[in-house]
Amino acid sequence: MIQVSIAAVLALFAGSALAQPTIEYLPSGYIATDISSNGEVAVGNVLLDGSYETFRWTSASGVQRLGRASVPVIGRGAGTPDVSHDGTRVSASILSSDTRLTQGVWDIATGWIETMPPLPVDCASIDESYGSAWGLSGDGSTLTGFYWNASADARACTWTSGDGVVALSQGATTSARVNAANFDGSIVVGWEELATGEWQPRAWRNGVKLILDPGPAFNEAQGVNTDGSIIVGESYDPATATRVATIWRWNGASYDTQRVGYLPGTIQIQGFSSLESVSDDGELAVGFNRFNNSPQSAGMVWTPDTGLMKGEDYLATLGLSVGAGNTIVSFSSVSPDGTAFTGIIQQILSGALQSFIVHVPPVECPGDTNGDNAVNGADLSVLLSQFNQSVTPGTGADFNDDGVVNGADLSVLLSSFGSEC
């Protein structure tokens, strides 16, 4: 029987710590708009040379430019690149084979597929554009955005390889757009135009349109979680006559509205606040705030515990900083599990923009045998009492679920010894 000295163990692992949050920077001029579920793949636009070409970046291999940029050829671009959860598929607005702006899906194995042509029956080329891409489902199957009709109205649409471009329900003579999709593309969100010109946030659940907010202002639904139960964006707050960051939660029949406000110092009516992306559990949402009618913005983060916080202040709670001389202008994307999110900094003196990814290790308690969210001597005592014994897999001190408590489980406990979670 192996004899283990608790005193020796404590001495050996004293001072060990859990992984800490980190910031990872992309090269300057490459602006990320979305990240994969593990935070290791980012996509966005190349601003460095003014091409707005779509790029895919990985922490292992760096930047890969994906081609088909429309701006250098026709001087037009629109939309946002997005990436599937596994990082293998990218959606973006690209140059079509007949030299128009169109939607495209890039696959790591096959490259680009353009959605138009072939054109929907009511699609038209307006200002050298068929339409643009604004979102991608988590499984990579469904692109979202809009296409133009002959009346120059934007028609909200989705695209899949099986069904092609499908128009969604909207007013006959107004415009609409789909900004984002849940994992399988069954729930998509965006905006629809009123006859008076304002935009209202919308959701389409299995093709059925839902009005999220009826307020008279330019508001959008910007992001949605994996199962479609949580939507974020902005809505009109009649109490302040201001557009404010908003969260909608599905109650089984409709979405309940939670207006979370704007940052201190925002001038009512002139300023506004928007959330762009949310984690699956709704515990982390990110976006930006404009304090007045200037285009200058500030990145912000929302959690249930902190409410809205300016980006620099939130990073400080994680022990992080973007450094003196830089300011965070926005956050664009959160990974489904909330362990990674993207932001953009601007150098105050030069005005140069640079994207970054914050990695926050998940809160876990490997080695916690008694469920008190701490790994300490009590847990070690349990492990030692069960050492070299067979147990029901996953119970007691069997941390690797193999049905026996042995050195492998001891290693798990010791790697977290002294931590709280």
Side-chain angles (χ1 to χ4, degrees), residues 241-267:
T242 303
R243 300 158 59 192
V244 302
T246 304
I247 302 171
W248 293 273
R249 291 185 171 85
W250 183 248
N251 62 22
S254 62
Y255 284 96
D256 295 325
T257 301
Q258 178 187 5
R259 295 189 176 96
V260 298
Y262 44 73
L263 291 177
T266 302
I267 299 174

Side-chain angles (χ1 to χ4, degrees), residues 34-36 41 43 81-85 87-91 136-138:
D34 197 19
I35 53 173
S36 62
V41 180
V43 299
D82 291 275
V83 66
S84 59
H85 284 190
T88 64
R89 289 170 70 84
V90 180
S91 65
L136 184 68
S137 61

Side-chain angles (χ1 to χ4, degrees), residues 241-384:
T242 303
R243 300 158 59 192
V244 302
T246 304
I247 302 171
W248 293 273
R249 291 185 171 85
W250 183 248
N251 62 22
S254 62
Y255 284 96
D256 295 325
T257 301
Q258 178 187 5
R259 295 189 176 96
V260 298
Y262 44 73
L263 291 177
T266 302
I267 299 174
Q268 292 182 0
I269 303 176
Q270 294 186 26
F272 78 97
S273 181
S274 178
L275 293 173
E276 302 289 290
S277 183
V278 64
S279 61
D280 279 350
D281 61 7
E283 296 291 302
L284 179 66
V286 300
F288 66 92
N289 189 95
R290 290 185 180 173
F291 295 96
N292 50 44
N293 55 14
S294 163
Q296 186 65 37
S297 62
M300 68 179 188
V301 176
W302 177 90
T303 73
D305 294 332
T306 65
L308 289 177
M309 293 185 69
K310 194 172 181 181
E312 288 85 351
D313 296 334
Y314 183 77
L315 292 191
T317 69
L318 302 177
L320 301 174
S321 169
V322 294
N326 297 316
T327 183
I328 301 173
V329 296
S330 70
F331 292 102
S332 59
S333 170
V334 178
S335 65
D337 63 2
T339 61
F341 55 96
T342 60
I344 302 172
I345 59 171
Q346 184 172 39
Q347 296 175 8
I348 296 174
L349 292 180
S350 70
L353 299 174
Q354 185 172 15
S355 287
F356 63 92
I357 303 174
V358 176
H359 298 275
V360 184
V363 177
E364 298 177 348
C365 269
D368 178 20
T369 63
N370 56 11
D372 64 355
N373 293 325
V375 183
N376 51 32
D379 304 297
L380 184 58
S381 294
V382 171
L383 184 145
L384 295 178

